[in-house]
């Protein structure tokens, strides 16, 4: 024993027995301090003798397990009531074994059953204390209650799982892109949208996978810049190439993680929404719109050319009919001078004056009918081609001008035209004048001969529109004809009134160019009310040029 | 004076040409009328690209031009005539079926002397030709295109 102890040095400085006492005192004192420290530790401490019986249990461990030191001391550390089950008994034995072999044991998590039957998670670590011969004398186990840690771990796991469920449940692709564009995470939606499996994507980059359509290949670099500048990008449209080679359009928002200062190249979270359907609908709408515009243009061109070119032969039909008349007159005058038997002369003049003249009359009547139809078509087609000038219109002034222009007709039929104060609107002066002229003309034309015509013109602002009404007490229109009256060449009462049947077609066409609308309410035998809506302020300044 | 003038009539519709000639005659216009059936024939004559008949120096001409003609239309003929230093003084009267205000304006801008719409209504047509006859009688026509 001598010569090996670190305390040997003390012996040389004084009498052996004095030193012994002094050393013992120190040792006792040290043990006391150590014991006190053990008692005050928040971790549980269990000292176990070499024969595996419990030698000491500190206060913290008593509190942890609910057993008093007396209840545990002297019992086998390998068979305590706190083990709870076979599993833990084995774990305890293994821990002992490890300590014996290595001199210490790494922390092991193990559940323990407290005296009142509660199961608590504990972490065990242990070390061995040996005597001078190297034999183990005491095993010291440090036991920590890890309930709090376990609960935190559980909460973290739950919250992570929840977050993952949210991510996985998202119909939008959510991905995390790290340095060099390497994708470290992507949710399940990517499989549906791109046709690639997640395994094929994670660990790769968008560029390497060929996920970006050529026209969108420069986008990620732009985003990176934006991300560095602002930390985020929003709703960028790009095209991706699906695994099968088809294109899918997505709207991408990105967000940098962390502050750029802390991490040279922070991860970027990208969220991509499939907007292919919307894109297709947009394309389809554009296509239809341009097709419609094309068709409209074509139609106007056809109407223009047809009405124009059809008039040319009509000039001949009419002209040569007239020439025939001249010839007839000449033949008739020649006949009179000749000595032809009166019977023959009578027959011939019958043919000339009745048959041929009748035929010519029909031809001429048809020609002029055709001419007026063509003129109407031409007028309608021109209406769509002429350039409009939108301006604020003083409707009181405009309607007064129209009523003045109709003064003669109004007096002739004895109509009473009442105009109330009218709010202004925006439109082309010439066309709006034409519009209300046509409505007034109709109101006068389709009056009821049984009573004096009363026509009222009113106007009211409704939001960003102005609705003007032209109400009459005329013959009225049956409901079935409400839409028909706006069709080209439709006339309500062809025998009784004059006109080409274009008035309301023109009104409708004018309104379509003004973003306005017209509707009718009517009761046969009582009267009709035509309502016209026009914009209060100009939204689109139309600078549509005439088609050459 | 009137008798000297030669009327050049560019009209692809034979019927229209005949009606115009008949009615001019009825109005007492007995001048020589040379008829071309399209714009190209008219230009060939005016720019002396053919031997016979060809523009003769010293003869005063008046050109009656239809607008819608095959190959070269009336507006193009008018444009070329008005761009030519010698021909530009020649009176050009547009006689056409269209009364489209924009077309009328275009012809006036190019420098036509008069614009007459061919009305389908025969009475109006006769009136228009009568007006043309009067115009032809008073219009000053240069005779030198050299």
């Amino acid at each position: 024993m001598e010569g090996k102890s670190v305390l040997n040095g003390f012996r040389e400085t004084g009498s052996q027995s004095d030193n012994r006492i002094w050393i013992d005192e120190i040792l006792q004192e040290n043990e006391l301090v150590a014991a006190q420290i053990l008692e005050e530790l928040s971790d549980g401490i269990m000292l176990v003798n070499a024969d595996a019986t419990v030698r000491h249990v500190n206060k913290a461990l008593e509190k942890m397990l609910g057993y008093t030191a007396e209840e545990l001391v002297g019992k086998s550390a390998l068979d305590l009531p706190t083990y709870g089950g076979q599993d833990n008994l084995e774990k305890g034995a293994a821990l002992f074994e490890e300590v014996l072999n290595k001199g210490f044991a790494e922390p092991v998590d193990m559940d323990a059953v407290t005296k009142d039957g509660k199961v608590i998670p504990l972490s065990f670590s242990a070390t061995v204390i040996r005597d001078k011969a190297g034999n183990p004398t005491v095993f010291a186990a440090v036991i920590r209650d890890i309930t709090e840690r376990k609960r935190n771990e559980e909460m973290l796991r739950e919250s992570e799982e929840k977050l993952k469920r949210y991510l996985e449940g998202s119909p939008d692709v959510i991905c995390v892109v790290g340095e060099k564009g390497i994708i470290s995470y992507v949710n399940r939606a990517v499989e549906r949208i791109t046709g690639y499996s997640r395994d094929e994507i994670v660990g790769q980059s968008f560029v390497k996978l060929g996920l970006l359509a050529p026209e969108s290949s420069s986008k990620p670099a732009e985003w990176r810049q934006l991300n560095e500048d602002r930390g985020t990008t929003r709703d960028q449209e790009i095209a991706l190439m699906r695994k099968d080679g088809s294109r899918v359009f997505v709207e991408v928002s990105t967000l940098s993680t962390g502050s750029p200062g802390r991490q040279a190249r922070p991860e970027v979270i990208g969220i991509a929404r499939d907007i292919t359907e919307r894109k297709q609908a947009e394309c389809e709408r554009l296509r239809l719109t341009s097709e419609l515009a094309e068709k409209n243009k074509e139609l106007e061109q056809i109407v223009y050319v047809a009405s124009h070119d059809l008039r040319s032969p009509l000039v001949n039909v009419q002209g040569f009919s007239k020439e025939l008349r001249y010839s007839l007159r000449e033949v008739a005058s020649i006949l009179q001078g000749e000595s032809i038997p009166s019977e023959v002369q009578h027959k011939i003049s019958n043919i000339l004056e009745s048959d041929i003249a009748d035929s010519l009359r029909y031809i001429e009547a048809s020609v002029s009918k055709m001419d007026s139809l063509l003129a109407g078509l031409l007028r309608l087609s021109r209406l769509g081609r002429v350039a409009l000038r939108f301006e604020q219109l003083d409707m009181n002034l405009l309607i007064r001008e129209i009523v003045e222009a109709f003064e003669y007709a109004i007096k002739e039929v004895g109509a009473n035209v009442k105009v109330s104060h009218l709010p202004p609107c925006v439109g082309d002066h010439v066309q709006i004048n034409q519009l209300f002229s046509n409505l007034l003309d109709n109101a006068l034309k389709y009056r009821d001969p049984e009573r004096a015509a009363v026509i009222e013109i009113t106007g009211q602002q409704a939001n960003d529109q102005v609705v003007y009404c032209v109400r009459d007490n005329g013959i009225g229109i049956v409901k079935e004809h409400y839409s028909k009256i706006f069709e080209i060449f439709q006339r309500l009462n062809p025998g009784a009134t004059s006109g080409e049947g274009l008035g309301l077609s023109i009104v409708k066409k004018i309104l379509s160019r003004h973003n306005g609308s017209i509707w009718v309410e009517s009761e046969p035998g009582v009267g009709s009310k035509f309502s016209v809506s026009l914009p209060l302020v100009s939204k689109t300044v139309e600078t549509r040029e005439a088609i050459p | 004076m009137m008798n000297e003038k030669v009327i050049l009539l560019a009209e692809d519709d034979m019927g229209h040409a005949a009606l115009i000639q008949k009615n001019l005659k009825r109005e007492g216009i007995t001048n020589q009328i040379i008829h071309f059936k399209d714009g190209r024939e008219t230009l060939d004559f005016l720019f002396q690209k053919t031997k016979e008949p060809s523009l003769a120096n010293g003869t005063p001409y008046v050109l009656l031009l239809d607008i819608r003609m095959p190959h070269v239309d009336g507006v193009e003929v008018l444009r070329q005539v008005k761009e030519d230093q010698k021909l530009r003084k020649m009176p050009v009267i547009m006689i056409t079926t269209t009364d489209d205000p924009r077309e009328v304006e275009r012809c006036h801008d190019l420098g036509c002397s008069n614009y007459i719409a061919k009305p389908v209504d025969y009475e109006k047509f006769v009136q228009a030709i009568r007006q043309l006859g009067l115009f032809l009688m008073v219009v000053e026509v240069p005779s030198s295109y050299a």
Side-chain angles (χ1 to χ4, degrees):
Chain A
M1 205 167 177
E2 266 93 337
K4 281 183 185 169
S5 169
V6 285
L7 297 171
N8 281 352
F10 289 108
R11 295 179 193 159
E12 287 158 22
T13 56
S15 80
Q16 210 143 353
S17 64
D18 281 0
N19 282 341
R20 174 97 259 160
I21 294 159
W22 185 69
I23 289 165
D24 280 349
E25 274 175 5
I26 289 172
L27 280 174
Q28 265 178 9
E29 202 174 319
N30 279 350
E31 209 163 299
L32 211 67
V33 169
Q36 220 158 6
I37 290 169
L38 285 184
E39 287 310 296
E40 296 310 319
L41 276 177
S42 61
D43 285 339
I45 303 288
M46 182 185 278
L47 300 178
V48 178
N49 295 316
D51 63 1
T53 54
V54 175
R55 175 171 166 173
H56 181 77
V57 170
N58 76 344
K59 269 197 275 179
L61 191 58
E62 282 182 312
K63 202 177 160 202
M64 218 179 277
L65 299 173
Y67 290 98
T68 61
E70 290 77 46
E71 286 173 300
L72 297 173
V73 169
K75 296 235 167 62
S76 165
L78 293 173
D79 188 23
L80 290 172
T82 52
Y83 281 113
Q86 190 61 36
D87 271 9
N88 284 341
L89 280 171
E90 279 168 19
K91 267 194 199 171
L95 188 76
F96 236 80
E97 192 75 26
E98 195 185 341
V99 176
L100 265 175
N101 292 338
K102 292 201 309 189
F104 65 93
E106 301 283 355
V108 172
D109 289 357
M110 202 192 303
D111 287 344
V113 182
T114 63
K115 194 177 178 185
D116 51 11
K118 226 167 78 186
V119 177
I120 53 169
L122 299 176
S123 163
F124 286 80
S125 53
T127 182
V128 69
I129 299 163
R130 295 175 195 274
D131 63 14
K132 281 173 189 149
N135 299 313
T137 54
V138 176
F139 301 98
V142 180
I143 300 154
R144 182 168 290 176
D145 184 347
I146 55 168
T147 308
E148 189 72 11
R149 198 187 87 200
K150 282 277 183 192
R151 196 164 53 224
N152 286 343
E153 275 174 9
E154 183 65 16
M155 269 166 66
L156 192 66
R157 200 179 54 77
E158 266 175 27
S159 113
E160 255 178 11
E161 227 160 59
K162 213 153 95 190
L163 197 64
K164 206 170 155 196
R165 268 205 307 278
Y166 294 158
L167 290 175
E168 290 302 318
S170 163
D172 296 344
V173 170
I174 299 166
C175 68
V176 180
V177 180
E179 215 174 327
K180 288 182 186 146
I182 299 295
I183 300 156
S184 57
Y185 168 82
V186 67
N187 68 345
R188 201 187 304 140
V190 82
E191 302 188 339
R192 178 174 48 80
I193 290 176
T194 66
Y196 286 97
S197 76
R198 254 193 291 198
D199 293 343
E200 288 173 292
I201 294 176
V202 172
Q204 298 283 341
S205 76
F206 283 113
V207 178
K208 218 169 173 185
L209 267 174
L211 254 172
L212 294 164
E215 67 267 28
S216 303
S217 58
S218 63
K219 288 280 181 182
E222 290 173 25
W223 297 342
R224 198 172 277 286
Q225 191 54 51
L226 279 172
N227 263 324
E228 272 168 27
D229 296 346
R230 296 200 316 242
T232 178
T233 62
R234 283 188 72 93
D235 301 340
Q236 304 271 338
E237 272 185 34
I238 56 163
L240 298 179
M241 300 296 283
R242 288 173 55 89
K243 198 179 181 183
D244 64 11
S246 60
R247 264 183 173 67
V248 57
F249 291 92
V250 290
E251 196 173 69
V252 180
S253 297
T254 62
L255 182 74
S256 279
T257 58
S259 55
R262 209 181 57 187
Q263 215 173 338
R265 273 236 159 127
E267 284 183 326
V268 174
I269 298 171
I271 299 168
R273 171 161 297 178
D274 186 352
I275 54 162
T276 306
E277 256 175 56
R278 196 179 84 195
K279 271 300 248 205
Q280 277 165 350
E282 261 169 39
C283 284
E284 183 65 6
R285 191 178 55 79
L286 279 178
R287 193 184 64 75
L288 287 175
T289 311
S290 83
E291 196 180 288
L292 193 67
E294 195 60 34
K295 282 265 179 290
N296 252 333
K297 209 170 131 182
E298 205 177 282
L299 191 69
E300 265 169 17
Q301 203 72 10
I302 288 170
V303 169
Y304 176 76
V305 168
S307 52
H308 188 272
D309 289 2
L310 287 176
R311 287 180 91 188
S312 205
L314 270 190
V315 171
N316 281 339
V317 177
Q318 172 82 296
F320 285 102
S321 303
K322 213 69 183 189
E323 290 299 325
L324 275 179
R325 275 194 193 283
Y326 285 133
S327 305
L328 275 183
R329 228 175 290 153
E330 271 176 57
V331 171
S333 75
I334 292 166
L335 273 180
Q336 276 183 354
E338 296 295 317
S339 55
I340 295 167
S342 68
E343 202 184 315
V344 178
Q345 204 165 45
H346 183 72
K347 266 190 190 166
I348 293 175
S349 74
N350 215 29
I351 293 170
L352 293 181
E353 283 157 31
S354 157
D355 295 354
I356 297 181
D358 272 357
S359 305
L360 283 174
R361 211 168 37 247
Y362 281 118
I363 292 172
E364 283 163 355
S366 299
V367 168
S368 67
K369 168 79 185 160
M370 186 121 168
D371 183 43
S372 82
L373 290 178
L374 291 177
L377 272 181
L378 203 55
R379 208 141 50 83
L380 196 62
S381 89
R382 254 179 227 159
L383 210 59
R385 291 180 298 127
V386 69
L388 300 183
R389 206 167 68 89
F390 286 99
E391 57 183 333
Q392 173 99 11
L393 297 175
D394 180 348
M395 290 300 282
N396 294 307
L397 201 69
L398 189 135
I399 298 291
R400 197 183 312 139
E401 281 169 13
I402 294 171
V403 172
E404 273 165 17
F406 275 86
E407 207 180 347
Y408 178 76
I410 291 168
K411 270 194 183 140
E412 199 181 42
V413 303
N416 179 8
V417 179
K418 301 177 193 169
V419 183
S420 52
H421 184 78
L422 302 170
C425 68
V426 167
D428 177 85
H429 187 275
V430 174
Q431 293 212 340
I432 298 300
N433 183 304
Q434 168 94 71
L435 188 162
F436 284 100
S437 296
N438 287 9
L439 290 179
L440 184 58
D441 188 41
N442 277 351
L444 290 168
K445 206 184 278 174
Y446 295 104
R447 69 188 181 279
D448 192 331
E450 299 293 309
R451 53 179 177 262
V454 178
I455 299 161
E456 289 170 279
I457 302 173
T458 56
Q460 215 166 21
Q461 191 185 320
N463 298 326
D464 54 351
Q465 300 268 306
V466 187
V467 177
Y468 301 98
C469 294
V470 179
R471 182 203 290 273
D472 64 48
N473 63 342
I475 56 175
I477 305 153
V478 293
K479 234 189 181 98
E480 296 78 70
H481 289 163
Y482 279 8
S483 64
K484 212 166 187 166
I485 54 172
F486 295 103
E487 286 172 21
I488 191 167
F489 295 139
Q490 285 293 340
R491 292 178 53 203
L492 202 55
N493 206 353
T497 57
S498 61
E500 299 154 353
L502 274 175
L504 289 176
S505 304
I506 287 172
V507 164
K508 211 176 159 189
K509 182 125 194 177
I510 290 172
L511 281 167
S512 84
R513 292 194 68 188
H514 279 79
N515 288 330
S517 59
I518 182 166
W519 61 97
V520 62
E521 294 151 85
S522 182
E523 199 178 322
V526 178
S528 306
K529 185 174 106 177
F530 285 88
S531 304
V532 169
S533 79
L534 281 163
L536 179 66
V537 285
S538 179
K539 267 190 210 145
T540 51
V541 178
E542 190 180 10
T543 49
R544 186 173 160 192
E545 274 308 309
I547 300 158
Chain B
M1 257 274 278
M2 188 60 211
N3 284 338
E4 296 166 13
K5 290 174 196 163
V6 172
I7 297 168
L8 306 176
L9 175 62
E11 171 64 80
D12 66 316
D13 189 309
M14 291 304 160
H16 291 191
L19 285 173
I20 290 166
Q21 292 188 53
K22 272 174 190 285
N23 281 284
L24 281 176
K25 207 166 279 171
R26 245 178 233 126
E27 291 306 313
I29 307 286
T30 55
N31 303 52
Q32 187 197 351
I33 297 176
I34 304 174
H35 176 216
F36 307 101
K37 61 180 193 303
D38 60 45
R40 189 176 296 160
E41 249 185 32
T42 315
L43 287 175
D44 285 350
F45 175 87
L46 290 172
F47 291 94
Q48 293 165 295
K49 285 178 188 152
T50 48
K51 280 182 189 148
E52 196 65 38
S54 191
L55 192 77
N57 201 13
T59 310
Y61 292 101
V62 175
L63 177 57
L64 306 188
L65 251 185
D66 185 24
I67 289 183
R68 289 178 89 86
M69 287 189 292
H71 308 308
V72 180
D73 71 9
V75 177
E76 177 58 21
V77 173
L78 174 65
R79 199 183 57 76
Q80 292 199 22
V81 166
K82 290 300 165 189
E83 271 180 8
D84 187 86
Q85 283 303 315
K86 297 170 220 158
L87 293 175
R88 60 187 301 175
K89 292 176 201 153
M90 182 188 292
V92 180
I93 298 130
M94 310 306 291
I95 306 178
T96 186
T97 35
T98 183
D99 53 355
D100 188 335
R102 286 175 312 122
E103 196 107 287
V104 178
E105 199 184 314
R106 197 156 135 234
C107 290
H108 279 299
D109 285 349
L110 284 171
C112 80
S113 312
N114 202 350
Y115 190 104
I116 293 165
K118 286 185 244 176
V120 176
D121 183 319
Y122 193 72
E123 294 307 324
K124 286 185 194 152
F125 185 82
V126 170
Q127 248 174 36
I129 299 298
R130 196 171 291 153
Q131 192 194 333
L132 174 63
L134 287 173
F135 182 81
L136 287 177
M137 278 192 239
V138 298
V139 71
E140 293 279 344
V141 182
S143 55
S144 170
Y145 300 102

